[in-house]
Amino acid sequence: MLRKNRLFTPGPTPILPAAQTAMASFAMHHRTAEFRDLFSRVLADLREFIGTKNDVLVLSSSGTGAMEGSVSNLTSPGDKVLVLSAGKFGERWRDLAQAFGCAVEMVTAPYGETFSLDEVRRKLTPGVRAVFVQATESSTGARHDVEGIARLVRAMGDDTLLIVDAITGLGTTHFDVDGWGIDVIIGGSQKALMIPPGLAYCAISERAWKRMETTSSPRYYFDFRKERKAAAKGEAAFTPATSLFAALAAALDFVRDMGNDDIAAGREALVNNAELAAEMTRAGAQALGMKLFAASSPAAALTAIQSPPGIDSGAMVKEFRESFAAVVANGQGEMRGKLFRIAHLGYYDYLDTIGILAALEHVLASVTGKAVEYGAAVRAAQEVYARQMSLRTSVSV
Ligand SMILES: *Cc1c(COP(=O)(O)O)cnc(C)c1O
């Protein structure tokens, strides 16, 4: 059959058509009134999308740029920091903090699992200057309890900052950023916001801005205070990825439309969309006898599915691509070959979700050479969908 190329990877994700069009016709210079309008509108819309009153910055970099900036702006060499790590992105926090000379304490959980809040509480001793965590660990498909972690950090008072990599969490997870007291929350353009890679964004609390007055780690391109000053005038400190701002504005308009002219409501709808797609996918995979990698605390951003015993997940990834032009992600690092990941964040709908599960049935049959009950995954997903729709109808009546 004809094959349409489709991304099911947890970044980059499929691009919103309206964002693509906005980029294609874009020709503004970044030091003009026209661009300052666009820039300021994007920042205001992002604040609503994140759900915060804090100042928001947009950086021209991939998500890791905002992670690095959080470390370099908020710490000084020798600072004691606590990294909560249960996957490759948690390890990135550790590596970044070490690169800037922090004294790194760790709370770890095995890949596919999440932390015990008791252990977090034990390690959260006075003198810990900052806590770094992922909202959703994209390498394993696990969700971490940001609300519970935030409660523990806030109980330490204003001397401990909480920095959350929500690069796949924003748009897939419900947060109360200001209510929970998250000091920095980070997102990336190529995830739930449905545009290409190249922009990182973050919301920064007053507590964190204050910390920056005393920290001494080296920083230059990712100097948050410099960016804040420029942003107040509708500009970026350096040349921003201008056409991506046009794409971002279009994506935020799309979210606003999803919420009937309300970005916060649109964000909730986007989160619910990811949650439903994830639940359908989990049910579908399990109906085929497959095991989830992060079964105890699954994220809505993506689902990591274990490869059947004796099968390299690379063979499944390859078969998805060759038979259906569907790009799913292999495991990262030590998880390579053991699992594959299907994304739900951003621009995915019912047909995408049903389609990838139908493809999974064929991929499984062809890679294992064993009989698969066709329709089993699709049926399980249909039941999840039907149940959800009837729930929604009964709620709205
Ligand atoms: C994608 C992602 C990042 C950032 O990766 P970049 O390649 O720098 O954009 C960081 N953390 C998580 C959890 C991610 O999913």
Side-chain angles (χ1 to χ4, degrees):
M1 284 189 88
L2 181 156
R3 302 173 314 151
K4 295 187 189 175
N5 195 58
R6 288 182 173 89
L7 291 181
F8 285 91
T9 45
T13 62
I15 299 173
L16 183 74
Q20 217 148 19
T21 313
M23 280 188 292
S25 58
F26 186 78
M28 285 181 203
H29 187 274
H30 61 288
R31 305 289 181 212
T32 58
E34 215 184 355
F35 189 78
R36 281 192 285 272
D37 279 353
L38 172 68
F39 186 95
S40 302
R41 182 156 55 88
V42 164
L43 256 55
D45 285 357
L46 267 181
R47 193 176 279 150
E48 280 186 62
F49 178 74
I50 298 169
T52 182
K53 297 209 159 34
N54 291 336
D55 275 4
V56 168
L57 299 181
V58 179
L59 307 166
S60 292
S61 73
S62 80
T64 306
M67 294 174 72
E68 173 161 333
S70 301
V71 174
S72 64
N73 284 268
L74 296 173
T75 70
S76 303
D79 272 3
K80 188 156 107 179
V81 304
L82 186 61
V83 169
L84 315 185
S85 172
K88 301 319 285 180
F89 291 101
E91 291 160 18
R92 186 169 298 178
W93 273 138
R94 178 200 62 202
D95 295 347
L96 274 166
Q98 284 172 347
F100 284 88
C102 294
V104 180
E105 296 271 335
M106 304 280 295
V107 171
T108 59
Y111 291 168
E113 295 178 22
T114 189
F115 320 103
S116 124
L117 287 184
D118 280 338
E119 199 185 341
V120 176
R121 187 184 291 111
R122 265 199 304 280
K123 290 266 175 83
L124 202 49
T125 50
V128 170
R129 302 281 284 153
V131 176
F132 296 93
V133 67
Q134 271 62 43
T136 51
E137 173 51 75
S138 317
S139 69
T140 68
R143 182 202 301 268
H144 299 319
D145 178 5
V146 174
E147 184 177 10
I149 293 162
R151 201 175 300 126
L152 297 176
V153 175
R154 286 286 57 88
M156 303 296 293
D158 287 349
D159 289 340
T160 311
L161 300 178
L162 175 61
I163 297 99
V164 179
D165 163 5
I167 294 175
T168 52
L170 281 158
T172 68
T173 312
H174 299 288
F175 296 108
D176 179 359
V177 175
D178 299 348
W180 299 349
I182 298 173
D183 293 299
V184 182
I185 186 162
I186 304 169
S189 57
Q190 79 276 32
K191 311 277 176 146
L193 278 174
M194 309 169 273
I195 70 169
L199 294 178
Y201 58 98
C202 55
I204 301 172
S205 75
E206 279 312 314
R207 214 174 3 246
W209 288 113
K210 207 158 181 167
R211 172 72 60 90
M212 285 179 229
E213 291 167 14
T214 58
T215 51
S216 62
S217 284
R219 69 201 77 142
Y220 187 83
Y221 184 70
F222 296 117
D223 185 332
F224 287 174
R225 293 202 293 167
K226 204 157 54 190
E227 287 296 342
R228 186 194 208 188
K229 217 182 259 173
K233 291 184 258 160
E235 295 196 1
F238 307 101
T239 310
T242 49
S243 58
L244 290 177
F245 273 82
L248 190 48
L252 289 160
D253 283 342
F254 178 81
V255 174
R256 182 185 283 109
D257 284 348
M258 277 181 84
N260 294 317
D261 219 25
D262 179 348
I263 291 186
R267 174 197 64 228
E268 297 302 293
L270 194 63
V271 171
N272 294 339
N273 181 72
E275 282 189 337
L276 180 51
E279 196 185 341
M280 289 166 72
T281 303
R282 290 195 296 269
Q286 288 175 304
L288 294 172
M290 304 191 82
K291 289 201 170 69
L292 305 175
F293 189 70
S296 60
S297 181
L302 73 150
T303 300
I305 301 168
Q306 296 187 36
S307 207
I311 303 284
D312 189 310
S313 60
M316 312 251 330
V317 172
K318 185 159 175 270
E319 183 62 20
F320 269 113
R321 195 176 57 240
E322 288 183 352
S323 288
F324 303 105
V327 184
V328 304
N330 201 331
Q332 289 170 259
E334 300 89 313
M335 291 168 277
R336 193 171 183 81
K338 300 193 177 125
L339 59 88
F340 60 96
R341 295 171 292 150
I342 297 174
H344 320 296
L345 70 171
Y347 199 53
Y348 292 106
D349 68 358
Y350 167 85
L351 287 176
D352 294 323
T353 309
I354 288 293
I356 195 72
L357 287 168
L360 173 60
E361 296 178 356
H362 284 292
V363 166
L364 189 62
S366 122
V367 169
T368 61
K370 291 190 189 138
V372 163
E373 188 197 346
Y374 290 124
V378 169
R379 186 189 323 123
Q382 292 278 41
E383 280 162 6
V384 169
Y385 179 83
R387 198 159 55 235
Q388 190 63 36
M389 288 307 115
S390 68
L391 272 178
R392 281 187 197 175
T393 318
S394 61
V395 167
S396 64
V397 162

